[in-house]
Amino acid sequence: MTRRWFALLPLAAALLAGCGVSGPAAADGVVRLPDPRLDPPPAQPGEQVAVFAGGCFWGVEAVFDHVRGVRRAWSGYAGGAADTATYEQVSDGDTGHAESVKVIYDPRQVSYGQLLKVFFAVAHDPTQRNRQGPDVGSQYRSVIFYATPQQQRVADAYIAQLTAAHAFAAPIVTQVTPLQGFYTAEAYHQNYAAQHPDSPYIVYNDAPKVAHLKQWLPALYRTPTQTVDVQLQ
């Protein structure tokens, strides 16, 4: 399904699609999730890879571009085969792909568990199955694509922790799936929110996510200073 969001603009405005507003909020409106109890340092030194899917990749990428310790982020596709990793095919919803974001991060500045906290708190709504706000289809499902067994353990443990704490009013439907491949999306999707800040879709759906990151998790927020390289090895 392509983004026929013009017809859904009133709904998008009302829901602030996928911006985390359905999470646990205190009286001041701030979403508060606990830090992951299981969050060990990676087994190998150096930059690490994390891949998340949570609705339209424009907004998820915009959030992680603003996270301290994130070196690069790309929009792309994961969950399906290489020969179907094009926007037109993925938009049909039957390729097995989810719109995803690949994050390269420095674990000396931000841990995998902290990235998970950002993912659940502000990047998307983990209680929506096969949709985020006005975007509907399996390509918009919530997925953590783990790159290592340790990432799988941390992700599973954090979901269990949030579930036990009743952190969300509805069940978490996020899948935890091994990363088989990540395929970079077309160049015009990269850094889309930053390049199109006045787009109604970005204004209603994605800009609030970045604003909530700054408001709710200020210690993890930064202003991006580098241009994201769309070439991914």
Side-chain angles (χ1 to χ4, degrees):
M1 174 179 169
T2 57
R3 288 190 188 88
R4 298 183 178 90
W5 55 268
F6 288 104
L8 293 164
L9 203 51
L11 174 63
L15 296 180
L16 292 177
C19 67
V21 294
S22 66
D28 57 6
V30 177
V31 168
R32 290 189 172 92
L33 295 183
D35 290 329
R37 287 195 292 263
L38 179 65
D39 193 15
Q44 299 297 325
E47 292 182 341
Q48 303 293 311
V49 175
V51 178
F52 304 103
C56 171
F57 43 27
W58 297 341
V60 179
E61 182 194 343
V63 167
F64 284 108
D65 278 338
H66 285 81
V67 172
R68 173 181 51 80
V70 169
R71 299 303 191 197
R72 298 183 295 276
W74 295 270
S75 291
Y77 314 106
D83 60 357
T84 59
T86 68
Y87 185 67
E88 290 303 318
Q89 290 174 289
V90 172
S91 293
D92 289 337
D94 57 6
T95 64
H97 283 294
E99 291 196 10
S100 305
V101 171
K102 183 171 185 174
V103 175
I104 307 296
Y105 67 98
D106 182 351
R108 296 170 300 179
Q109 298 187 51
V110 63
S111 70
Y112 185 67
Q114 288 173 314
L115 295 180
L116 289 174
K117 184 175 181 179
V118 169
F119 179 62
F120 283 108
V122 300
H124 82 310
D125 181 349
T127 70
Q128 291 192 341
R129 189 184 303 276
N130 292 336
R131 72 170 297 160
Q132 286 291 312
D135 296 320
V136 180
S138 62
Q139 69 271 34
Y140 301 115
R141 66 191 185 273
S142 173
V143 190
I144 298 166
F145 290 100
Y146 61 86
T148 67
Q150 180 171 294
Q151 286 187 355
Q152 180 187 18
R153 291 192 297 273
V154 174
D156 284 338
Y158 195 44
I159 291 173
Q161 179 183 343
L162 295 179
T163 299
H166 304 288
F168 295 92
I172 294 172
V173 297
T174 305
Q175 302 169 355
V176 180
T177 303
L179 178 66
Q180 302 294 343
F182 178 86
Y183 309 99
T184 312
E186 295 80 355
Y188 68 90
H189 288 300
Q190 308 303 326
N191 211 21
Y192 190 93
Q195 295 187 39
H196 304 277
D198 298 324
S199 161
Y201 185 95
I202 299 301
V203 170
Y204 284 118
N205 298 296
D206 297 335
K209 299 179 183 182
V210 176
H212 290 163
L213 172 67
K214 184 176 183 180
Q215 177 187 2
W216 297 339
L217 299 171
L220 292 176
Y221 176 86
R222 69 175 176 88
T223 301
T225 57
Q226 78 276 13
T227 300
V228 176
D229 179 8
V230 302
Q231 298 300 318
L232 182 62
Q233 62 276 11

